[in-house]
Amino acid sequence: MTMPSIYETLNSQLGPGIVYEGSDASKARHLHDFMYTMPAGTTPGAIAIPKTVEQLSTIMRLCHENGQPVTPQGGLTGLVAGSLPDPGGVALSLERMRAVIEIDPAAATMIVEAGAPLETVQNAADEAGFLFPLDLGARGSASIGGNASTNAGGNRVLRYGMMRDLVLGMEVVLANGTIVTSLNKMLKNNAGYDLKHLFMGSEGTLGIITKLVLRLFPKPQSACTAFCAVNSYADAMNLLGRARKDLAGTLSAFEVMWPSFYELAQNAITNLPLAGGHPLYVLLDALGSDQDTDQVRFQGMMERALEDGIVVDAVIAQSGKESTAIWGVRDCVGEFPRLFGPAATFDISIPTGKIAEFVADCDARLAAKIKKSRTVWFGHVADSNLHLMAAYDDASKELAEQIVYEAVREWDGSISAEHGIGTLKKPYLSYSRSPEELEVMRTLKAALDPRGILNPGKVIN
Ligand SMILES: Cc1cc2nc3c(=O)[nH]c(=O)nc-3n(C[C@H](O)[C@H](O)[C@H](O)COP(=O)(O)OP(=O)(O)OC[C@H]3O[C@@H](n4cnc5c(N)ncnc54)[C@H](O)[C@@H]3O)c2cc1C
């Protein structure tokens, strides 16, 4: 007697329209994530797209009983190949669980299903008179559950924190199908372990997030933006200190761009705000509550920085249109792969005060081993987050990665600031985590997923 396939097992329990065969051409998008496609000739054994948490729980229970690997999928925009299914395993998409369930104005919270796109969440908050502050380029496709499972960051971390700081409660389905409902709405709740933190940043390896209680914030009523040139990283740090102190807690972005970034941006944008040739560029953004008073305070801070020689040249936006144009400089990175050519790309963290020395050291290490080495550096440096594109010419991408991650290890940084580990960074996890930390991670994994079915091959397992 032949054993039923995982598709047959799931389909017979869940009924029509929930589970599809891995070879179903209409569901082929589940064979890719943003980085990779499954190896040629391979497919998942089944693609499951439940509509309810009960259906999702049944799928997990059956996969657990049958020892079937399950890969959770949100909007498939992750940048570390974390949602690519196992050949023969189950791709489990949250795309049909996308309802905004409740907005509670008194608690300033929203309850939402995990498959809702980030932009849907932002718009729902906006319509209710609130701000949901997480924002990133993939907002139209990335799901809020994917954001939580990767602990996403983005442009406003300095002001509002990462996704971990924006979640109060959660519903999760464990590997064996158990539904754990913990839809806490309270800012203060120290009743034992705060379990939600286990599932944030664990990239679908410990449980499947099905609902979230999100924190909402007052909508900013003002935005002040400036683009400036500074002579050194020390001056950039000086400016950061002043902006933090003088802007009454409104500073929401402090983006630093190195000259190679600005040179490349000249090929993407016709009217750059400042002339080239400066050692470093900084974009500052402040979100406040009153445009008139905030603009006066912002302008005053910038004028003092110019008078004191901390800033050597600056443009301050006088309208929303000018602010958008300034942000266009930072956001033109989308054009860089085309303009720069093949490159290894990095999302790393280095303690903020050490960043300039790290950049110089890392450039020297790359130049010593890679002919015609070229790099582009930029980052949310106040969050300690650096992005790097490194051309590897006729050397290999792996060599560039080895050099950079080795440097990150020696400078006590992190190999992943905001994108996670997935499969791409897994070989380097031990560069940023001690053997003891890795052992605790393995203990948690074994306790919550004893059969190792949740997103195998990703992060730690
Ligand atoms: C243009 C662009 C810009 C980006 N900018 C940023 C940025 O500024 N900051 C940043 O942090 N990231 C950024 N990213 C990366 C990406 O958008 C984030 O990692 C995002 O949080 C992934 O969400 P997703 O729904 O697409 O998840 P997916 O890619 O589908 O999955 C990501 C991981 O989460 C797991 N997963 C998904 N849903 C669940 C769930 N419900 N429960 C448990 N596990 C789940 C998957 O198994 C996988 O391991 C960017 C990506 C792109 C393409």
Side-chain angles (χ1 to χ4, degrees), residues 203-216:
E203 302 174 53
T205 61
L206 298 181
I208 300 187
I209 301 167
T210 48
K211 288 193 189 84
L212 289 156
V213 183
L214 303 172
R215 288 181 72 183
L216 302 179

Side-chain angles (χ1 to χ4, degrees), residues 65 101 137 141 146 198 279 286 310 388 397-398 404 458:
E65 284 167 12
I101 297 168
S141 310
L198 288 178
I310 291 171
L388 161 66
K397 195 172 173 185
E398 288 70 30
V404 173
K458 317 287 166 42

Side-chain angles (χ1 to χ4, degrees), residues 442-454:
R442 285 193 197 97
T443 304
L444 287 170
K445 175 72 182 168
L448 287 170
D449 181 17
R451 297 199 179 164
I453 63 165
L454 268 174

Side-chain angles (χ1 to χ4, degrees), residues 34 72 74-78 82 136 143 146-147 149-150 152-154 203-204 209 418 455:
F34 199 82
L76 299 167
T77 69
L136 42 89
S143 69
N147 297 152
S149 85
T150 57
E203 302 174 53
I209 301 167
E418 57 181 7
N455 221 358

Side-chain angles (χ1 to χ4, degrees), residues 84 334 441:
L84 205 60
M441 289 188 203

Side-chain angles (χ1 to χ4, degrees), residues 220-231:
Q221 302 299 319
S222 75
C224 302
T225 313
F227 195 87
C228 52
V230 294
N231 272 335

Side-chain angles (χ1 to χ4, degrees), residues 403-417:
I403 295 168
V404 173
Y405 290 137
E406 198 66 59
V408 168
R409 168 155 72 179
E410 287 174 32
W411 283 82
D412 294 326
S414 171
I415 58 153
S416 178

